Amino acid sequence: MDAWIPITIAAAFLQNLRSALQKHLRGTLGTRGASFVRFGYGFPIALVYVTALHSGAGYSLPRLSPGFLLWAVIGGLAQIYATILLVHLFSLRNFAVGTAYSKTEPVQAALFGFLLLGERLSVGAVLAIVVGVIGVMLISIARSPLSWKSIAAALVGRTALIGIASGAIFGLSAVAYRSAALALGGPNAVMQAAVTLACVTGFQTIYMLVWMLIRDRAEIGRVIRSWRSSSLVGLAGVLGSTCWFTAMALQPVAYVRALGQIELVFTFAASFFLFKERVNRLEVLGCLLIVSGILGLLMS
């Protein structure tokens, strides 16, 4: 088995764990605070990881190039705003449904590739996108009376738009991180991923800290007081990001994100067992259609 496969599965599990912990924090912290802990409490761990690889394993430190810094900043900012949207989405719908909306990420990437880069889509790809859109519609109308109004809301409603935007920005972030890691040209994929993670989380920590100092200083105090729960989010987040970054340094983003859809299995388990949230049949069918559409798109 190729190394990137178990690494990606571990990344999906850790990401789901981090999202579950963030949803729990949403009751005591605001959206910015719940998003910040992922980076602020994860940054020291990322530094320790790089130090261990350098001092313990003997891996040399790669030289940071302007191209690397540009992609790292783009990816870091994209991940911040995608995370904020996802955390906000949890307050609008339940945990499983909120995560499913963000899983339209590969579909978004294909559409942006067609619109911005002129990449042609095959008939199979178009059908896969239609299947994914139907899945999103089913999720949105699962708890509402079936009508043209509910169908329209599934496509352009507030929850749908926030979820789809989150998936699109996460897609941009993933591509930027792979580009940043490859721009380093370090000793190996593990060290390239580790340095990328440390630089990105450091930038994200500073950016969000300044943001909260300007917009909501009281939130910083709440983040500090919730250090027990917040540190767990940071730990799960940085471990998951380590796995994602390493997998994407080894393999193209499309393959990694396709396998990463296994996260939905973990999501439904967390939704049912941890949050005691009920997921009806239409929501389950909608999530399955989204995953089928994404996998069909990648296979085509």
Side-chain angles (χ1 to χ4, degrees), residues 45-190:
I45 303 172
L47 287 180
V48 170
Y49 180 50
V50 171
T51 302
L53 290 176
H54 179 58
S55 301
Y59 295 155
S60 61
L61 292 171
R63 181 175 298 177
L64 307 185
S65 65
F68 164 80
L69 295 175
L70 175 63
W71 282 116
V73 169
I74 292 174
L77 289 174
Q79 189 178 31
I80 285 174
Y81 288 105
T83 301
I84 288 175
L85 287 174
L86 184 60
V87 171
H88 178 61
L89 188 61
F90 290 152
S91 66
L92 301 178
R93 295 296 297 270
N94 68 33
F95 180 64
V97 175
T99 302
Y101 267 120
S102 70
K103 290 300 139 188
T104 58
E105 170 191 332
V107 177
Q108 306 290 330
L111 291 174
F112 282 127
F114 174 72
L115 294 174
L116 302 179
L117 304 178
E119 297 173 344
R120 294 184 179 276
L121 297 178
S122 65
V123 174
V126 173
L127 291 175
I129 291 174
V130 171
V131 170
V133 170
I134 293 173
V136 172
M137 291 172 58
L138 285 178
I139 290 174
S140 290
I141 65 176
R143 298 180 182 272
S144 304
L146 187 59
S147 65
W148 287 112
K149 183 178 180 180
S150 61
I151 293 175
L155 290 173
V156 297
R158 182 185 179 193
T159 303
L161 293 178
I162 292 175
I164 292 170
S166 174
I169 302 174
F170 271 128
L172 172 62
S173 175
V175 173
Y177 287 154
R178 174 168 169 79
S179 300
L182 295 178
L184 280 177
N188 53 51
V190 174

Side-chain angles (χ1 to χ4, degrees), residues 176-201:
Y177 287 154
R178 174 168 169 79
S179 300
L182 295 178
L184 280 177
N188 53 51
V190 174
M191 192 59 171
Q192 288 170 255
V195 172
T196 302
L197 175 63
C199 292
V200 167
T201 53

Side-chain angles (χ1 to χ4, degrees), residues 37-39 63 118 130 154 166 182 203 214 230 233 235 240 255 265:
V37 297
R38 172 182 180 177
F39 315 117
R63 181 175 298 177
V130 171
S166 174
L182 295 178
F203 164 73
I214 296 174
S230 297
V233 173
L235 177 61
Y255 294 104
V265 177

Side-chain angles (χ1 to χ4, degrees), residues 191-235:
M191 192 59 171
Q192 288 170 255
V195 172
T196 302
L197 175 63
C199 292
V200 167
T201 53
F203 164 73
Q204 290 170 324
T205 298
I206 295 172
Y207 180 87
M208 291 209 67
L209 189 59
V210 172
W211 188 7
M212 289 191 294
L213 281 172
I214 296 174
R215 298 294 299 272
D216 189 3
R217 294 189 179 186
E219 186 74 354
I220 298 176
R222 291 190 287 269
V223 167
I224 295 174
R225 288 191 295 272
S226 67
W227 67 270
R228 290 181 178 85
S229 299
S230 297
S231 59
L232 292 177
V233 173
L235 177 61

